[in-house]
């Protein structure tokens, strides 16, 4: 559980933040959420598909790093084997939230329970006089960007669902030395439905800047073979 | 022009309760009323006469009905304080409560195996499932899921899809409001807020228009009577006689209360509970924010005061704070449901005690049949009238038999219960079936009619839940697929564990639906 508290230069005067990649938390997960802006860099290395969050049922874009729920072929301990590390594995304990009284305004909150937050290690966020440090200013900027990326991603999914452009079908996997199995619960861009979309809707996708992401996701399906190869290679190495 | 060739262009539905709005939605959707030139649907809703305000339990058909009219499941659940229903639980129906342990059994919406493919019931009756397992637990995972307070699906399950089949419990008032909004905003239904004061007919006895106090005349070619117990069109105007079935089903009064939940996170039962009383029974339906509870009883066997006291005792309302509403029930049906150009749907057509939530589900069926067979001209109407009347007469007769079955198998000793078993109160059609089933298991051949309202499996849940005496020993050799049956029983046990491990609690799912909603895909 996170415990978000709005930043306050008195209460948090001595707080320090030590930003660390969180690759090891992903070790046991085969689906890692990504933002829409990450589709292109991610698509070069693994499939970018869609899946439901088990807690909320919400559909979100994910990169597929393995075929089974606890398989991550991109993690070696806390080392990331891919070229592009998704933002979800570089989480900041500083998060931008809309102000309770004014939706338009963002408030920067800190997750006080995060292991990256202490009074001993990392960068100060306030100086002794209570002024924001350069580090905090940069992080504030980043947090606002993350929030915007999040909202944009939600809108993308909403549009894809509304235009009936997502379909689900099982993919069958045939490992070299094990019985074949199906991977279910994934959603893909429906290429056929995309081809049949009305000109108005297609224009809407273009104007919203979604087409690049949609094609990146479609093309990334070719990475399923790479993922399988990665699996076989790792098995051979281990053997 | 020959009146026979008169085209049906305008449907007028009188009455804006659950029946009126559900029928309006179904008709407008299926007749594509928003399209140019399509048949138009108008609902006359009285601003003064309240709806019946009860009717909160449904059948799984409601999922298809709502999906068909294009309502979003999440919106429906949020707006109607709705919860999930996986069946009914009958408490103390077999015998009175003063024995050590209350008796309870389930009528559930899904079994692991379809009895039409392989009927496990005779194998259960012959003891092949084991000696101490109830019929419900031998064939379905849903009883155990309900005992554990689990929901029938997960937040990741698509809208209207199920892990285990389900219906809803809903707030009747909010439901009618939601349907009204949907009908008028999305489906092209016109609403007229007015009281109908008179119904006018032509020389052939067909209704031509209705007079309203507020908006003058409203004319149409087909009229749907959804005026509730009043039956203003079919009963008052067309004078179609009412067939009382109070000689079979003895209850005639209900008292309803609304009981707030003790806390915001209170557990919610995922079944309708029906607890037998001295002269009737009490329904108990858990919505998101409150319970809907009511006592259905026979006024010939108990005084209103005593009935009210039993209801308050059930609700733990000893100080008498809850406000109780008494409803007189007219139990029976019209001799015809469709006459000339008037169709009655809802309480105006028929009503029997709400023991198996048969009313709304027959409203859905009527709306579907009406739109499927919708006559385009006056001449086409005579044919539809006949089909519709036969079909609904059959459905109501079967419903009455099915409700009566619940009473007939009881060994309770109170006068009301004893009278329910006296042969002059029991339809021959039911006695014949029971006689056959005492020697032979129920089979799919008993349910070959497509109009059959209650499924094969429901009868088995009731019969075996009530401990119906069936002697299959003499025909035991015909049930030779014992190994297969045993394998299926073992699979049910396995599936039950598997399904229950995976399902969230009913309350937590409801909270998640309110917060996040279901996805359409
Ligand atoms: C005690 C009880 C419990 C029940 N429980 C269940 C259950 O669990 N499950 C289930 O499926 N069903 C149940 N029912 C049945 C269910 O309540 C009804 O089938 C359902 O609500 C439909 O009612 P209705 O729309 O026909 O009638 P009503 O709700 O009575 O609506 C009648 C409408 O007609 C209008 N009207 C009347 N006269 C005029 C006029 N002159 N001009 C204009 N408008 C007029 C009224 O304003 C009203 O809008 C129960 C019924 C009772 C009595």
């Amino acid at each position: 559980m996170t415990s978000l508290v709005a930043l306050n230069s008195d209460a948090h005067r001595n707080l320090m933040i030590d930003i660390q990649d969180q690759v090891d938390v992903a070790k046991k997960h085969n689906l890692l959420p990504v933002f829409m802006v990450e589709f292109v860099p991610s698509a070069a290395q693994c499939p970018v598909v869609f899946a439901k969050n088990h807690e909320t049922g919400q559909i979100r874009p994910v990169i597929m790093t393995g075929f089974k729920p606890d398989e991550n072929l991109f993690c070696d301990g806390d080392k990331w084997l891919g070229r592009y590390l998704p933002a979800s594995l570089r989480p900041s304990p500083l998060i931008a939230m809309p102000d309770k009284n004014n939706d338009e305004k963002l408030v920067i909150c800190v997750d006080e329970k995060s292991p990256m937050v202490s009074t001993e290690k990392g960068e100060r966020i306030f100086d002794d006089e209570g002024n924001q440090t350069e580090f905090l200013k940069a992080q504030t900027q980043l947090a606002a960007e993350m929030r915007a990326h999040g909202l944009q991603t939600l809108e993308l999914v909403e549009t894809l669902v509304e235009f009936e452009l997502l379909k689900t079908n099982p993919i069958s996997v045939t490992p070299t030395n094990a019985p074949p199995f199906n991977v279910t619960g994934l959603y893909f861009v429906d290429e056929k439905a995309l081809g049949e979309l009305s000109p108005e809707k297609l224009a809407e996708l273009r104007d919203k800047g979604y087409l690049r992401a949609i094609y990146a996701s479609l093309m990334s399906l070719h990475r399923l073979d790479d993922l399988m190869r990665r699996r076989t290679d790792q098995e051979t190495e281990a053997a | 022009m020959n009146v026979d060739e008169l085209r049906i262009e305008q449907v007028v539905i009188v009455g804006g309760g659950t029946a009126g709005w559900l029928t309006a939605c179904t008709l407008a959707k299926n007749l594509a009323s928003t399209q140019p030139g399509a048949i138009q649907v108008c609902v006359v809703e009285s601003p003064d006469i309240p709806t019946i305000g009860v009717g909160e339990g449904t059948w799984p058909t409601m999922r298809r009905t709502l999906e068909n009219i294009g309502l979003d499941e999440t919106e429906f659940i949020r707006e109607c304080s709705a919860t999930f229903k996986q069946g009914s639980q009958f408490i103390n129906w077999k015998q009175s409560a003063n024995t050590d342990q209350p008796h309870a059994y389930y009528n559930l919406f899904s079994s692991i195996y379809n009895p039409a493919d392989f009927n496990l019931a005779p194998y259960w009756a012959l003891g092949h499932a084991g000696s101490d397992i109830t019929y419900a637990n031998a064939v379905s995972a849903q009883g155990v899921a309900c005992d554990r307070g689990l929901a029938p699906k997960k937040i990741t399950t698509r809208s209207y899809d199920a892990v285990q089949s389900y219906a809803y419990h809903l707030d009747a008032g909010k439901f009618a409001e939601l349907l009204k909004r949907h009908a008028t905003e999305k489906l092209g239904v016109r609403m007229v807020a007015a009281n109908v004061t008179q119904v006018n007919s032509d020389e052939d006895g067909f209704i031509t228009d209705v007079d309203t106090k507020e908006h003058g005349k409203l004319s149409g070619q087909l009229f749907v009577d959804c005026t509730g117990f009043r039956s203003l069109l079919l009963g008052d105007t067309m004078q179609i006689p009412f067939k009382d079935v109070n000689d079979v089903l003895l209850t005639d009064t209900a008292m309803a209360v609304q009981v707030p939940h003790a806390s915001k996170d209170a557990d919610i039962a995922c079944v309708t509970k029906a607890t037998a009383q001295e002269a009737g029974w009490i329904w108990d339906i858990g919505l998101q924010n409150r319970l809907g509870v009511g006592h259905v009883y026979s006024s010939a066997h108990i005084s209103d005061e005593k009935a009210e006291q039993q209801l308050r005792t059930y609700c733990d309302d000893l100080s008498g704070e809850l406000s109780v509403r008494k409803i007189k029930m007219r139990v029976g049906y019209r001799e015809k449901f469709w006459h000339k150009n008037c169709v009655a749907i809802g309480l105006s057509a028929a009503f029997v005690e709400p023991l198996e939530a048969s009313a709304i589900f027959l409203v859905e069926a009527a709306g579907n049949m009406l739109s499927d067979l919708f006559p385009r001209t006056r001449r086409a109407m005579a044919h539809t009238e006949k089909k519709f009347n036969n079909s609904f007469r059959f459905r109501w007769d079967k419903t009455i038999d099915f409700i009566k079955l619940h009473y007939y198998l009881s060994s309770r000793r109170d006068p009301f219960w004893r009278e329910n078993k006296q042969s002059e109160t029991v339809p021959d059609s039911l006695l014949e079936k029971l006689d056959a089933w005492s020697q032979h298991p129920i089979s799919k051949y008993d349910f070959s009619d497509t109009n059959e309202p209650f499924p094969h499996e429901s009868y088995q849940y009731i019969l075996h839940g009530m401990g119906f005496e069936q002697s299959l020993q003499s025909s035991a050799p015909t049930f030779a697929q014992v190994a297969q049956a045993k394998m299926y029983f073992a699979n049910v046990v396995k599936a039950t564990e598997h399904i229950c491990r995976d399902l969230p609690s009913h309350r937590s799912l409801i909270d998640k639906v309110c917060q996040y909603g279901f996805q359409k895909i």
Side-chain angles (χ1 to χ4, degrees):
Chain A
M1 260 330 263
T2 57
S3 53
L4 290 181
V5 181
L7 268 195
N8 172 317
S9 62
D10 291 327
H12 299 125
R13 180 75 54 95
N14 297 317
L15 220 58
M16 296 174 98
I17 291 185
D18 181 28
I19 304 260
Q20 295 287 344
D21 292 349
Q22 302 274 301
V23 174
D24 61 325
V25 302
K27 230 167 17 200
K28 291 270 170 231
H29 296 282
N30 71 329
L31 302 175
L32 308 175
V34 287
F35 293 128
M36 181 181 120
V37 288
E38 300 183 276
F39 278 30
V40 172
S42 304
Q45 62 185 19
C46 52
V48 181
V49 296
F50 297 82
K52 284 181 180 171
N53 176 324
H54 285 293
E55 283 306 306
T56 68
Q58 302 304 94
I59 296 175
R60 69 243 198 290
V62 291
I63 56 171
M64 194 177 163
T65 56
F67 294 98
K68 297 201 160 165
D70 57 355
E71 177 179 69
N72 191 329
L73 300 164
F74 281 78
C75 283
D76 181 12
D78 55 7
K79 200 165 135 248
W80 181 254
L81 303 176
R83 264 168 301 179
Y84 175 77
L85 181 69
S88 62
L89 300 186
R90 293 176 271 129
S92 165
L94 295 175
I95 289 158
M97 302 278 281
D99 190 341
K100 271 199 228 55
N101 308 317
N102 175 5
D103 287 354
E104 309 267 293
K105 206 174 135 229
L106 292 181
V107 187
I108 299 297
C109 301
V110 58
D111 176 5
E112 292 185 326
K113 293 244 175 77
S114 162
M116 291 181 254
V117 176
S118 71
T119 48
E120 286 107 45
K121 197 157 160 261
E123 306 255 7
R124 293 269 306 258
I125 52 174
F126 294 107
D127 64 17
D128 290 339
E129 282 75 48
N131 302 311
Q132 299 199 353
T133 61
E134 287 308 312
F135 171 77
L136 176 57
K137 286 178 191 160
Q139 287 292 317
T140 302
Q141 174 79 26
L142 209 61
E145 280 171 19
M146 286 297 157
R147 184 173 166 79
H149 290 329
L151 293 176
Q152 180 188 44
T153 308
L154 281 179
E155 283 171 25
L156 166 73
V157 173
E158 257 173 40
T159 308
L160 293 179
V161 172
E162 187 192 319
F163 288 7
E164 300 181 358
L165 287 177
L166 292 183
K167 60 167 183 186
T168 182
N169 50 277
I171 43 180
S172 97
V173 180
T174 317
T176 26
N177 303 316
F181 61 92
N182 276 344
V183 183
T184 57
L186 298 180
Y187 296 80
F188 309 94
V189 172
D190 185 341
E191 204 172 349
K192 186 158 168 285
L194 184 65
E196 289 164 0
L197 211 61
S198 71
E200 297 76 36
K201 285 184 171 166
L202 203 57
E204 194 179 331
L205 295 182
R206 182 197 60 207
D207 296 346
K208 287 181 167 168
Y210 294 163
L211 283 179
R212 211 168 107 90
I214 289 172
Y215 281 107
S217 171
L218 274 172
M219 290 200 287
S220 76
L221 296 183
H222 293 294
R223 301 281 90 79
L224 277 167
D225 290 342
D226 295 354
L227 198 61
M228 199 63 222
R229 207 165 307 126
R230 203 174 262 271
R231 192 177 209 246
T232 324
D233 289 350
Q234 288 186 12
E235 278 166 359
T236 336
E237 253 170 60
Chain B
M1 192 183 85
N2 181 346
V3 285
D4 273 0
E5 298 308 324
L6 192 72
R7 287 173 52 82
I8 315 288
E9 280 158 359
Q10 175 71 57
V11 180
V12 177
I13 299 176
V14 183
T18 301
W21 286 113
L22 205 51
T23 305
C25 285
T26 304
L27 272 181
K29 173 74 191 186
N30 294 347
L31 299 175
S33 288
T34 51
Q35 305 286 321
I39 293 162
Q40 297 301 300
V41 178
C42 151
V43 174
V44 192
E45 185 188 78
S46 161
D48 306 314
I49 306 167
T51 60
I52 189 92
V54 283
E56 309 196 317
T58 59
W59 271 75
T61 48
M62 186 55 86
R63 277 158 46 210
R64 291 288 91 85
T65 298
L66 296 181
E67 191 171 20
N68 171 45
I69 64 173
L71 252 178
D72 176 54
E73 184 175 34
T74 302
E75 183 187 1
F76 158 73
I77 291 175
R78 288 177 184 163
E79 298 278 319
C80 301
S81 297
T83 56
F84 300 104
K85 169 179 175 181
Q86 302 188 59
S88 296
Q89 186 179 31
F90 297 93
I91 303 160
N92 296 328
W93 278 70
K94 189 167 161 55
Q95 67 237 349
S96 305
N98 50 11
T99 46
D100 303 347
Q101 249 195 336
H103 178 265
Y105 73 95
Y106 286 116
N107 176 9
L108 301 165
F109 291 146
S110 61
S111 304
I112 304 284
Y113 295 100
N114 181 351
D117 300 333
F118 189 106
N119 193 8
L120 285 167
Y123 294 93
W124 174 83
L126 289 165
H128 296 304
S131 55
D132 53 0
I133 186 162
T134 61
Y135 176 69
N137 287 349
V139 301
S140 171
Q142 230 161 0
V144 173
C146 291
D147 286 341
R148 296 188 194 167
L150 302 178
K153 67 191 290 190
K154 301 187 279 186
I155 192 67
T156 48
T157 317
R158 201 189 74 97
S159 287
Y160 293 118
D161 273 2
V163 173
Q164 304 261 297
S165 181
Y166 65 88
Y168 308 101
H169 291 135
L170 52 84
D171 181 303
K174 293 178 179 171
F175 187 45
E177 284 303 313
L178 175 65
L179 292 172
K180 182 202 300 190
R181 212 169 62 223
H182 187 68
T184 52
E185 288 174 8
K186 302 272 168 65
L187 300 175
V189 174
R190 187 162 72 99
M191 177 186 129
V192 179
N195 290 288
V196 171
T197 47
Q198 190 174 312
V199 181
N200 306 309
S201 313
D202 63 16
E203 61 269 30
D204 297 326
F206 281 73
I207 300 176
T208 50
D209 47 62
V210 293
D211 295 334
T212 67
K213 200 159 77 191
E214 295 81 356
H215 288 278
K217 266 190 197 321
L218 292 166
S219 50
Q221 296 77 43
L222 181 72
F223 290 80
V224 187
D225 184 348
C226 293
T227 58
F229 281 132
R230 174 74 194 274
S231 197
L232 185 68
L233 279 61
L234 190 78
D236 285 6
T237 308
M238 298 278 199
Q239 295 282 313
I240 300 298
F242 185 79
K243 183 173 177 326
D244 218 306
V245 298
N246 224 222
D247 51 338
V248 178
L249 297 175
L250 310 181
T251 62
D252 61 358
T253 316
M255 272 185 191
V257 285
Q258 301 190 344
V259 188
H261 283 310
S263 68
K264 270 186 80 139
D265 54 0
D267 288 338
I268 313 169
C270 211
V271 286
T272 301
K273 290 192 225 169
T275 306
Q277 304 292 314
E278 177 190 338
W281 56 278
I282 287 177
W283 83 75
D284 180 344
I285 283 178
L287 302 183
Q288 289 175 21
N289 54 330
R290 62 164 172 89
L291 300 173
V293 186
H295 190 178
V296 176
Y297 58 94
S298 155
S299 61
H301 293 86
I302 192 176
S303 69
D304 289 346
E305 292 69 37
K306 202 156 176 215
E308 181 175 334
Q309 187 203 330
Q310 288 173 356
L311 178 63
R312 289 190 189 278
T313 306
Y314 181 93
C315 298
D316 267 336
D317 178 39
L318 304 175
S319 50
E321 277 167 35
L322 297 171
S323 82
V324 169
R325 194 161 62 93
K326 183 173 145 184
I327 303 167
K328 269 321 253 182
M329 305 188 305
R330 197 160 182 202
V331 181
Y333 53 78
R334 298 275 154 193
E335 278 177 8
K336 291 174 82 178
F337 308 100
W338 187 319
H339 183 64
K340 296 186 191 279
N341 64 342
C342 174
V343 195
I345 297 180
L347 296 174
S348 59
F351 179 68
V352 298
E353 60 182 272
L355 186 58
E356 285 284 2
S358 47
I360 298 175
F361 133 77
L362 287 173
V363 167
E364 297 168 65
N368 289 336
M369 189 163 183
L370 177 57
S371 24
D372 287 348
L373 302 181
F374 196 84
R376 300 288 162 156
T377 60
R378 185 182 274 195
R379 187 161 54 89
M381 239 181 290
H383 179 67
T384 326
E385 167 181 330
K386 196 145 67 190
K387 270 192 133 83
F388 190 92
N389 284 332
N390 288 343
S391 166
F392 278 89
R393 177 63 182 260
F394 175 86
R395 295 182 213 233
W396 281 104
D397 281 338
K398 292 284 175 170
T399 300
I400 291 161
D401 278 10
F402 185 57
I403 303 286
K404 184 70 177 182
L405 174 71
H406 295 67
Y407 288 103
Y408 186 72
L409 298 175
S410 174
S411 0
R412 292 182 65 109
R413 306 295 305 153
D414 328 81
F416 166 80
W417 293 86
R418 279 215 307 268
E419 196 174 322
N420 255 303
K421 299 190 67 150
Q422 277 164 18
S423 56
E424 63 273 18
T425 75
V426 189
D428 289 343
S429 49
L430 177 61
L431 291 173
E432 273 165 34
K433 275 183 276 200
L434 287 173
D435 188 40
W437 293 338
S438 68
Q439 315 258 353
H440 197 283
I442 309 183
S443 77
K444 59 185 173 193
Y445 303 105
D446 292 311
F447 297 88
S448 51
D449 195 305
T450 53
N451 291 314
E452 192 69 57
F454 294 96
H456 178 176
E457 189 70 294
S458 282
Y459 280 80
Q460 298 190 143
Y461 281 122
I462 308 303
L463 287 184
H464 300 311
M466 287 295 274
F468 176 61
E469 301 228 356
Q470 206 174 34
S471 58
L472 302 181
Q473 293 308 334
S474 57
S475 53
T478 45
F479 306 109
Q481 289 163 283
V482 173
Q484 178 120 11
K486 284 190 169 170
M487 187 185 83
Y488 285 165
F489 285 129
N491 288 347
V492 172
V493 172
K494 257 186 274 166
T496 302
E497 270 320 304
H498 181 79
I499 288 168
C500 289
R501 207 176 317 126
D502 221 25
L503 290 170
S505 81
H506 188 193
R507 170 59 84 179
S508 78
L509 182 63
I510 289 293
D511 288 348
K512 280 189 180 175
V513 176
C514 291
Q515 192 178 353
Y516 308 109
F518 289 123
Q519 297 288 322
K520 291 195 186 72
I521 59 172

